[in-house]
Amino acid sequence: MSGPELVLVLRYRKAVTYGFHVLLGALEQHGTTTRYEVRFGETPASTAEHIRAALATGAKVLVLWSFYSPDAAALAEELALVRRLADGPSVLHIAGGVHATAEPVQTLDAGWDIAAVGEGETTLLKLVDAVGAPTGITGLVYRDAAGDIIKTGRPERRPLDDFRGFSLRWDRFNALEITRGCVFSCRFCQTPFMFSAKFRHRSVADVRWHVDRMRERGLRDVRFITPTALSYGSQTDEPNLAAVEDLLASCHEGIGPRGRVFFGSFPSEIRPEHVSREALRLVRRYCANTNIIVGAQSGSDRVLAAAKRGHDVEQVRRAARLAIEEGFRINVDMIFGMPGEDHADVQASLSLARELAELGARIHAHTFMPLPGTPWRDAPAGDVDPETVREVDRLSQRGALYGHWQRQRDHAHRLAAAAQAYPRPGRSRTLLPVVTPADPAVPDQGGR
């Protein structure tokens, strides 16, 4: 048999392997007449080396990149380096993921040949069938020979059960995605705007198939990827605990007595209004984790309402108390510098953080980033004033707070600058009005 017609080179970074594993899981099930190979570029130099080796065989080369918006600028520099080391007319660099989906033109201008938008499984399979030629394949944005932007439309959204959640052929495993999309549509979050504002769940039977394969391979830990863990099996904003128990019981049985199931810990946080004794005791019964992650985001009801969070501050307090009473260590996500925050809002968040820390919770601190594809894409970068920085540092020194919030401040300014360079006229930012303490419209910051 002759050599490959197509070589897929994955710019394989440990921070973003999950998306590639899902694509490989889809690929290994796919029957195609195209002769192809897959290679993993774990550094820019090895990526370029794989490109050179593929070109030497006469194959077409697709270099696949996946990254989040905060990493876009750094990866564009890396792309330029790879091109200097190895390039040719039969090499196409394709960027996928949430950033490419939200900002395809910006992605092309940064140096990529093609932006893959939306869910990538069917797009990749069609590209492989077409030996890398993008013409007529949905889910792509690129420039034609005249430099005009070509948008081929969104790819079809298929049930999660249609594709494997990791790759057996290439022996690449990860936390298993059990839900795509989110009905809550928080204004700072990219998930519902990439995958749609509704839930699609992987069936219990399909999850169990994956767990059985993991056990056969000697893997012991089962983790899940979901935007809201206790929404599994639901199509509304209410939990479906019967479906959650079916899932956890099956996984607990499937991984066996030497295995462990983790649920409600990273990367499967829980919404505060979903926390109940019944739910916590389900996690305790079937799972190994003694900590859970709850998304609070703010200590101000005014900010929570503007962000469309769908819960209030008192529900955060209640969740923390219940979790601690049931024997869990609770980690609470909070975002500082949200659009339109005033001094009272910030003080309310700091007060809540101190209160939760006294209960025994840990605060996972973030700085607001205006992420592409979200309603707050055009908002200013998160602004954390020196007084807030000092208070956050004090909590950190006590061991009550952690996170990369300082690094996120730099990312936020880069993202805000990119949004200004690529304006979206007519898009409402839906920001909070900035008010002064003397303004009679300032509401009470206490929990409802």
Side-chain angles (χ1 to χ4, degrees):
M1 181 181 290
S2 58
E5 302 169 86
L6 178 69
V7 173
L8 303 174
V9 179
L10 278 54
R11 175 59 188 98
Y12 191 76
R13 301 181 301 128
K14 289 183 179 180
V16 289
T17 56
Y18 157 70
F20 284 137
H21 296 176
V22 170
L23 293 177
L24 293 174
L27 191 57
E28 69 189 41
Q29 297 173 270
H30 182 60
T32 182
T33 60
T34 301
R35 300 188 308 277
Y36 70 90
E37 294 181 0
V38 174
R39 300 175 186 176
F40 298 86
E42 297 188 354
T43 65
S46 66
T47 301
E49 186 176 331
H50 286 308
I51 293 170
R52 287 193 297 269
L55 290 174
T57 69
K60 182 76 175 285
V61 183
L62 294 184
V63 187
L64 306 184
W65 301 71
S66 180
F67 49 88
Y68 299 113
S69 295
D71 300 325
L75 269 292
E77 293 179 3
E78 191 175 291
L79 169 64
L81 172 60
V82 171
R83 284 194 185 276
R84 289 196 297 272
L85 295 173
D87 208 358
S90 60
V91 179
L92 288 176
H93 290 268
I94 304 179
V98 289
H99 185 79
T101 295
E103 300 286 353
V105 176
Q106 192 180 127
T107 300
L108 299 182
D109 288 349
W112 280 273
D113 299 300
I114 299 173
V117 301
E119 301 177 26
E121 293 97 333
T122 57
T123 300
L124 177 63
L125 301 184
K126 291 176 181 178
L127 279 169
V128 169
D129 289 343
V131 198
T135 305
I137 295 175
T138 56
L140 301 177
V141 179
Y142 57 92
R143 285 191 170 91
D144 64 15
D148 295 326
I149 297 289
I150 304 298
K151 298 182 178 181
T152 64
R154 289 263 182 169
E156 62 178 314
R157 290 190 172 112
R158 302 254 303 267
L160 267 61
D161 286 12
D162 283 3
F163 302 112
R164 290 178 182 170
F166 47 59
S167 171
L168 299 176
R169 175 178 171 185
W170 285 280
D171 199 31
R172 307 282 170 157
F173 294 88
N174 47 262
L176 184 63
E177 183 184 30
I178 56 173
T179 301
R180 245 180 226 184
C182 184
V183 302
F184 292 98
S185 300
C186 303
R187 283 181 166 142
F188 53 78
C189 179
Q190 290 176 309
T191 296
F193 304 100
M194 178 171 176
F195 295 125
S196 82
K198 65 179 182 179
F199 293 128
R200 279 181 294 148
H201 305 291
R202 194 179 294 274
S203 70
V204 171
D206 192 65
V207 172
R208 177 58 181 269
W209 182 92
H210 284 80
V211 172
D212 288 345
R213 303 292 82 72
M214 292 172 66
R215 184 177 181 180
E216 291 168 1
R217 297 290 181 103
L219 300 173
R220 294 185 55 212
D221 290 351
V222 179
R223 299 179 188 271
F224 306 102
I225 296 172
T226 168
T228 159
L230 288 171
S231 293
Y232 179 77
S234 175
Q235 291 301 329
T236 72
D237 58 0
E238 295 293 328
N240 181 343
L241 293 186
V244 171
E245 181 164 19
D246 286 346
L247 171 76
L248 297 181
S250 181
C251 292
H252 180 77
E253 178 185 64
I255 201 63
R258 299 183 61 190
R260 301 183 299 179
V261 179
F262 295 85
F263 187 81
S265 58
F266 182 81
S268 61
E269 74 172 30
I270 296 174
R271 291 182 58 84
E273 74 273 27
H274 289 176
V275 175
S276 64
R277 292 196 189 279
E278 183 182 2
L280 292 168
R281 289 172 183 178
L282 277 181
V283 175
R284 175 71 73 198
R285 186 178 311 145
Y286 296 109
C287 302
N289 50 294
T290 57
N291 70 295
I292 61 170
I293 298 178
V294 168
Q297 317 310 358
S298 177
S300 164
D301 283 331
R302 191 177 79 103
V303 172
L304 292 175
K308 294 187 67 176
R309 274 296 291 170
H311 64 79
D312 62 20
V313 175
E314 187 54 40
Q315 288 170 309
V316 176
R317 293 189 178 99
R318 179 180 176 277
R321 288 193 296 265
L322 282 176
I324 291 167
E325 288 171 7
E326 291 296 326
F328 286 91
R329 180 74 182 269
I330 185 169
N331 296 268
V332 181
D333 281 335
M334 295 193 71
I335 302 173
F336 293 92
M338 294 268 251
E341 274 187 344
D342 65 14
H343 181 73
D345 297 319
V346 175
Q347 290 305 306
S349 287
L350 290 173
S351 177
L352 179 65
R354 289 190 292 266
E355 179 184 341
L356 296 179
E358 289 299 320
L359 287 174
R362 292 182 75 211
I363 307 302
H364 187 194
H366 304 267
T367 299
F368 169 75
M369 295 185 290
L371 294 172
T374 71
W376 277 351
R377 179 250 196 203
D378 296 310
D383 180 22
V384 184
D385 62 76
E387 179 186 351
T388 303
V389 170
R390 286 192 293 272
E391 181 62 26
V392 169
D393 281 343
R394 281 193 286 269
L395 287 167
S396 179
Q397 290 165 10
R398 289 170 47 193
L401 182 144
Y402 66 103
H404 299 298
W405 64 275
Q406 295 191 55
R407 187 187 310 166
Q408 290 168 348
R409 293 169 72 186
D410 297 331
H411 290 322
H413 285 284
R414 282 195 293 271
L415 291 169
Q420 289 183 344
Y422 289 81
R424 300 285 179 85
R427 295 286 184 95
S428 171
R429 293 189 300 182
T430 58
L431 303 183
L432 279 164
V434 177
V435 293
T436 64
D439 192 321
V442 178
D444 177 18
Q445 294 302 315
R448 288 192 291 242

